[in-house]
């Protein structure tokens, strides 16, 4: 699970927690394993092709195999950064990014004029995009006083957009839309603008 709710009636804490670190770690591991499998298959194919006197096919398979087997190496090199604990928490006082090894921040609801959840969906152009369609999700925070907000939250500068909003990217996370929608409705009903569809695009990354 990448999201959960703790507390509530009879509990000490009332909050919705989105576990970004665990989700990203799981995806990276799965991607690394798949790449390793196909990479080793490519290298094995290269050996067979060279042995059978097919240097062109062997060279192509060798390049593909080396590229794919390099991905797990990159995963290992960047594992500490990718797997670090990161939580997005929505609660009664406000919204916060819990990132002990990165740049944590916390914003009380009264500093905002609006909150919304935005999503951009991948346009279906092939069977692959139909089966593995991506939906990029963000939590958008709109400061009530942009200048004061900027001064109080310098650690959020990387989230600032030209239109004044602060956009928290959550990646390919369609399943988080209803979670965030319910949380924002519960904790910031007067600020919440709902889910904003920003259309379709090709080749989401």
């Amino acid at each position: 699970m990448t999201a959960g709710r703790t507390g509530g009636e009879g509990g000490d804490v009332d909050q919705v927690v989105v576990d970004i670190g665990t989700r990203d770690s799981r995806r990276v591991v799965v991607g690394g394993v798949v790449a390793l499998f196909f990479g080793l298959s490519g290298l094995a194919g290269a050996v067979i092709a060279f042995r059978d006197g097919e240097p062109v096919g062997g060279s192509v398979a060798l390049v593909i195999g080396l590229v794919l087997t390099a991905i797990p190496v990159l995963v290992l090199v960047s594992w500490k950064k990718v797997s670090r604990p990161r939580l997005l928490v929505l609660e009664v006082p406000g919204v916060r990014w819990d990132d002990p090894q990165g740049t944590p921040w916390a914003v009380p609801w009264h500093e905002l004029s609006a909150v919304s959840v935005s999503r951009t969906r991948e346009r279906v152009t092939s069977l692959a995009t139909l089966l593995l369609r991506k939906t990029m999700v963000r939590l958008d925070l709109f400061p009530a006083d942009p200048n004061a907000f900027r001064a109080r939250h310098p650690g959020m500068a990387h989230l600032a957009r030209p239109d004044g909003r602060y956009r928290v990217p959550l990646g390919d996370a369609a399943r988080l839309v209803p979670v965030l929608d319910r949380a924002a409705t519960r904790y910031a009903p007067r600020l919440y603008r709902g889910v904003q569809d920003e259309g379709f695009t090709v080749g989401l990354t």
Side-chain angles (χ1 to χ4, degrees):
M1 292 293 291
T2 58
R5 179 175 166 189
T6 60
E9 294 183 8
D12 296 325
V13 180
D14 187 3
Q15 58 185 200
V16 171
V17 179
V18 180
D19 189 343
I20 301 297
T22 298
R23 183 201 65 183
D24 287 356
S25 298
R26 186 183 301 117
R27 289 182 175 180
V28 167
V29 168
V30 172
V33 170
V34 172
L36 180 61
F37 172 79
F38 285 106
L40 293 177
S41 298
L43 294 177
V47 171
I48 294 173
F50 283 126
R51 186 189 62 190
D52 294 343
E54 300 178 7
V56 175
S59 298
V60 172
L62 178 62
V63 171
I64 294 175
L66 290 174
V67 170
L68 291 177
T69 52
I71 293 177
V73 175
L74 295 176
V75 169
L76 291 175
V77 171
S78 61
W79 179 250
K80 184 175 181 180
K81 180 178 180 180
V82 172
S83 64
R84 76 183 193 275
R86 283 160 292 154
L87 303 174
L88 176 66
V89 182
L90 291 89
E91 53 193 350
V92 175
V95 57
R96 57 188 170 90
W97 180 257
D98 188 357
D99 187 358
Q101 300 173 28
T103 307
W105 48 262
V107 176
W109 297 120
H110 67 77
E111 290 189 15
L112 302 175
S113 63
V115 179
S116 66
V117 176
S118 59
R119 64 184 172 192
T120 303
R121 286 175 281 188
E122 187 170 20
R123 189 180 300 279
V124 175
T125 56
S126 65
L127 179 60
T129 55
L130 177 62
L131 298 176
L132 302 172
R133 190 178 187 182
K134 294 180 180 179
T135 300
M136 307 307 285
V137 178
R138 291 84 49 162
L139 179 67
D140 291 328
L141 309 176
F142 297 81
D145 185 337
N147 293 329
F149 188 93
R150 189 181 307 110
R152 280 193 296 266
H153 304 283
M156 296 178 67
H158 63 291
L159 302 176
R161 304 277 293 183
D163 62 2
R165 80 180 69 186
Y166 283 69
R167 171 161 281 183
V168 184
L170 301 172
D172 178 16
R175 288 185 295 179
L176 286 183
V177 171
V179 175
L180 296 172
D181 181 66
R182 289 192 296 269
T185 299
R186 176 179 177 83
Y187 299 119
R190 296 182 180 179
L191 302 177
Y192 187 45
R193 293 181 178 177
V195 178
Q196 307 296 314
D197 280 303
E198 299 193 345
F200 298 86
T201 189
V202 176
L204 282 174
T205 58

